[in-house]
Amino acid sequence: MVIANQIIIEAVEGKSEVLKPLLNVLVEATLMEKGCQKYELYQLDEDKDVFFIIEIWKNKKRYKAHLDNEHFQKLCSRMQELIEIQVSNALNLTN
């Protein structure tokens, strides 16, 4: 079963330029993980403090391995003080 999520991240005001390179490192590392089919980072034009990540995983096992991955845990820890709000929404394929 494919796992797909949309993650909405709002940076602490004025910290988006510090957060963005860390998010890009996360994207690069995650794309190399087994089972990752898509991991894309977007930034709103109207509000540079808001980012979106779209992620698609081959299955639940690979997604869980990603969440438990050391690079993911370390980057999340480093980014924690830079993030005001983070929301994850599961996505369902409609066809």
Side-chain angles (χ1 to χ4, degrees), residues 44-61:
L44 282 183
D45 281 338
E46 307 85 39
D47 185 348
K48 297 295 185 188
D49 287 338
V50 179
F51 298 90
F52 292 88
I53 294 174
I54 301 294
E55 63 179 348
I56 300 176
W57 293 89
K58 182 177 180 178
N59 56 43
K60 192 172 186 174
K61 178 183 173 184

Side-chain angles (χ1 to χ4, degrees), residues 10-69:
E10 184 175 340
V12 171
E13 188 174 339
K15 297 292 185 179
S16 63
E17 291 305 312
V18 178
L19 179 60
K20 187 176 179 178
L22 294 173
L23 289 170
N24 282 318
V25 167
L26 176 62
V27 169
E28 289 176 25
T30 301
L31 285 170
M32 296 171 64
E33 289 183 50
K34 193 171 183 180
C36 180
Q37 297 179 331
K38 178 181 279 198
Y39 205 86
E40 295 178 333
L41 176 65
Y42 299 89
Q43 187 175 22
L44 282 183
D45 281 338
E46 307 85 39
D47 185 348
K48 297 295 185 188
D49 287 338
V50 179
F51 298 90
F52 292 88
I53 294 174
I54 301 294
E55 63 179 348
I56 300 176
W57 293 89
K58 182 177 180 178
N59 56 43
K60 192 172 186 174
K61 178 183 173 184
R62 296 295 178 197
Y63 176 61
K64 182 169 177 358
H66 162 68
L67 295 177
D68 294 338
N69 191 303

